[in-house]
Amino acid sequence: MFPGFVGTRVDAGDCRIYVRHGGSGPPVLLLHGYPQSHIEWHKVAPSLAERFTVVCPDLRGYGDSDKPPSSGVDHSAYCKRASAHDQVAVMRTLGFERFHLVGHDRGVRVGLRMALDHPGKVLSFTNLDVVPSAEAFEHMDASLAFSWFHWHLMRQPFPFPETLIAGNAKLFLDFLLDQWTAVPNAIDDKAYAEYLRCFSDPDTIRAMCADYRAVALDLEHDREDRGTKLSCPTLVLWAGKMPKRPGWQTGASLDMLDVWRMRANDVRGRALDCGHFIPEEAPDELLAELLPFLASVQP
């Protein structure tokens, strides 16, 4: 699925991160989302690798990366600050002090925290289909709450959501993939098999719930930085077709570009004719936007 790429494990401090990397040229870090792993980049990474060094890790708690212990009280192990630290360590180990950052879903939340905590590291920031957590929770309405039911479930105390999801992990995964996808057959069999393998692991389920519970600490960190704008060029691409999830990301009152223009000085972007899983539903359209954007950013 990743021809010419090499898989390895990187010691990031308190956990080891599985990463697949390949290509040559300026470095690009691709951070996946929920409920997936680095596999979600398999349709775009080979093309990017023709011009860039492409790094595709599994976030802590996901895929084949380590899943540190978690606590119902202390969310620091799965806050986005900790995950961002992992990925800075990954890039440093691979020899990159500055890099382009592309995130999808949870990867955007990790990426935003990285760009705030380590602004000198991030050359450019591409956001695929995310409104920042603070704005989303501040504008939560009925449509957004319906679309984000998994947030409210997975934040419940241990072991309630873990038990429900583990009772039929395949059913839960299939429901998410169906509800968030607008392009038929976008997720191919090999990718799906990998998602199901990882998603069915009870330790992964525990870690994913901890990742969502950590929004309590993420919001505290976000409040501390409120008003700080990203200085790096920012590309925002989002799902333009979510008929099964009305109010997805924005609810009834938010506008994707307006929200991100409050967060960054240089913002551009548009909706794509697909659902949430942009790298798999619209890989060609994504590359058509991403390649000229990256080429326009000078170190």
Side-chain angles (χ1 to χ4, degrees):
M1 299 178 76
F2 290 81
F5 280 59
V6 175
T8 189
R9 292 184 181 275
V10 174
D11 186 349
D14 63 343
C15 71
R16 293 169 303 160
I17 299 298
Y18 180 80
V19 57
R20 214 184 286 237
H21 60 97
S24 61
V28 180
L29 174 63
L30 305 181
L31 298 181
H32 69 85
Y34 172 87
Q36 299 160 295
S37 68
H38 79 279
I39 294 294
E40 78 160 283
W41 303 109
H42 73 98
K43 293 183 180 180
V44 297
S47 294
L48 283 173
E50 295 174 4
R51 308 184 193 183
F52 300 92
T53 300
V54 180
V55 181
C56 306
D58 288 334
L59 297 173
R60 67 163 55 198
Y62 290 79
D64 291 313
S65 288
D66 283 356
K67 296 148 184 76
S70 52
S71 164
V73 177
D74 180 4
H75 300 296
S76 59
Y78 285 93
C79 73
K80 305 308 160 286
R81 175 163 286 163
S83 292
H85 177 273
D86 293 341
Q87 302 308 325
V88 169
V90 165
M91 296 304 280
R92 181 180 298 118
T93 299
L94 295 177
F96 305 119
E97 291 296 334
R98 302 185 72 199
F99 45 87
H100 298 283
L101 174 57
V102 181
H104 172 239
D105 191 87
R106 310 305 286 174
V108 177
R109 304 188 193 286
V110 174
L112 175 58
R113 177 44 52 194
M114 185 190 298
L116 290 167
D117 287 354
H118 308 274
K121 302 288 185 186
V122 180
L123 292 170
S124 71
F125 181 35
T126 298
N127 156 26
L128 303 183
D129 205 37
V130 162
V131 164
S133 301
E135 284 82 350
F137 277 93
E138 289 167 2
H139 294 82
M140 187 71 64
D141 57 18
S143 63
L144 185 52
F146 178 80
S147 292
W148 279 19
F149 83 97
H150 62 297
W151 277 79
H152 308 298
L153 169 63
M154 295 168 70
R155 294 176 62 206
Q156 298 303 314
F158 177 88
F160 180 68
E162 289 88 344
T163 303
L164 290 181
I165 296 170
N168 195 333
K170 183 178 185 303
L171 174 68
F172 199 85
L173 175 64
D174 288 352
F175 180 79
L176 297 178
L177 297 180
D178 172 73
Q179 292 291 299
W180 299 350
T181 303
V183 177
N185 304 312
I187 298 174
D188 67 31
D189 291 343
K190 287 184 178 180
Y192 174 78
E194 275 296 293
Y195 299 150
L196 181 60
R197 175 182 69 84
C198 296
F199 195 86
S200 300
D201 179 358
D203 210 26
T204 301
I205 295 171
R206 172 194 60 79
M208 290 189 297
C209 289
D211 177 33
Y212 275 83
R213 290 188 185 108
V215 72
L217 184 54
D218 296 334
L219 291 173
E220 289 183 23
H221 294 158
D222 209 29
R223 282 191 289 269
E224 294 168 2
D225 288 319
R226 203 64 179 264
T228 301
K229 283 191 162 187
L230 305 184
S231 57
C232 60
T234 301
L235 175 64
V236 182
L237 302 171
W238 65 96
K241 186 190 296 184
M242 291 291 286
K244 299 175 184 177
R245 299 279 114 177
W248 178 255
Q249 293 295 328
T250 60
S253 60
L254 294 177
D255 177 86
M256 186 72 81
L257 285 179
D258 286 347
V259 170
W260 280 98
R261 283 172 178 147
M262 296 296 291
R263 292 287 192 146
N265 290 317
D266 178 0
V267 178
R268 66 204 81 171
R270 67 180 183 91
L272 300 181
D273 189 26
C274 65
H276 177 57
F277 300 111
I278 292 172
E280 291 171 285
E281 294 187 63
D284 292 340
E285 292 84 349
L286 171 57
L287 288 167
E289 297 290 335
L290 183 58
L291 287 170
F293 171 68
L294 296 178
S296 73
V297 178
Q298 298 302 315

